Amino acid sequence: MSQYDRIYATVRQIPQGKVATYGQIADLAGLYGKARLVGYALFRVDLQDDIPWHRVINAKGEISYSFQRQGGDYLQKVLLEEEGIKFKSNGKIDLNKYRWQHQIQ
DNA sequence: GAAATGACCACGA
DNA sequence: GTCGTGGCCATTT
């Protein structure tokens, strides 16, 4: 209900092997400046929906996600690697390559 | 109805 | 490049 639907729809649009930041999702969803709601929505949503929440990361290029979520902590990293996303040495994602650009221009 | 909360971002140092 | 603070605003008690 409400704004979340828009966020979910946007997150679903993320292609496999790509990642998007909260700010980007918010912008695409027409919620510029309300990035917090994006994180809220993803935290609230469950696996029952086909929301690839693990593809959504913060602006720092790192995974947020509270532990005790889907099953483990590093599991998130594994899921992304399964999609072809690799992590840097410090555990960050190479946004320069994997950042979802959702059709620029 | 009002207060507290929050998987964040932008800006300044 | 990182770290700390303020602020946006809907959802939840």
Side-chain angles (χ1 to χ4, degrees), chain A residues 10-20 52 55 83 85 98-102:
Chain A
T10 305
V11 176
R12 281 183 194 151
Q13 290 176 20
I14 302 174
Q16 189 175 38
K18 295 280 185 178
V19 294
R55 289 182 196 153
E83 310 227 331
I85 299 170
Y98 300 110
R99 195 187 195 211
W100 178 40
Q101 299 188 329
H102 105 89

Side-chain angles (χ1 to χ4, degrees), chain A residues 4 10 20-22 24-26 30 39 41 49 70 81 90 96 100-101 105:
Chain A
Y4 284 177
T10 305
T21 62
Y22 290 95
Q24 194 142 28
I25 297 296
D49 297 319
Q70 202 167 56
E81 287 185 335
N90 47 353
N96 297 317
W100 178 40
Q101 299 188 329
Q105 290 154 10

Side-chain angles (χ1 to χ4, degrees), chain A residues 5-103:
Chain A
D5 288 334
R6 195 164 297 176
I7 296 171
Y8 298 149
T10 305
V11 176
R12 281 183 194 151
Q13 290 176 20
I14 302 174
Q16 189 175 38
K18 295 280 185 178
V19 294
T21 62
Y22 290 95
Q24 194 142 28
I25 297 296
D27 184 21
L28 296 177
L31 303 173
Y32 179 75
K34 303 195 282 186
R36 297 184 118 182
L37 301 184
V38 179
Y40 249 9
L42 294 176
F43 180 69
R44 272 288 175 191
V45 82
D46 287 279
L47 301 178
Q48 54 189 342
D49 297 319
D50 294 329
I51 310 295
W53 56 271
H54 54 266
R55 289 182 196 153
V56 185
I57 57 179
N58 57 15
K60 295 178 206 147
E62 222 172 21
I63 303 175
S64 304
Y65 143 91
S66 56
F67 54 104
Q68 263 180 348
R69 188 54 190 153
Q70 202 167 56
D73 39 356
Y74 66 106
L75 182 60
Q76 163 112 30
K77 195 191 313 187
V78 176
L79 289 172
L80 291 174
E81 287 185 335
E82 287 289 309
E83 310 227 331
I85 299 170
K86 295 174 185 173
F87 286 74
K88 292 268 192 173
S89 301
N90 47 353
K92 289 188 183 175
I93 297 175
D94 193 344
L95 289 173
N96 297 317
K97 289 181 58 177
Y98 300 110
R99 195 187 195 211
W100 178 40
Q101 299 188 329
H102 105 89
Q103 299 170 341

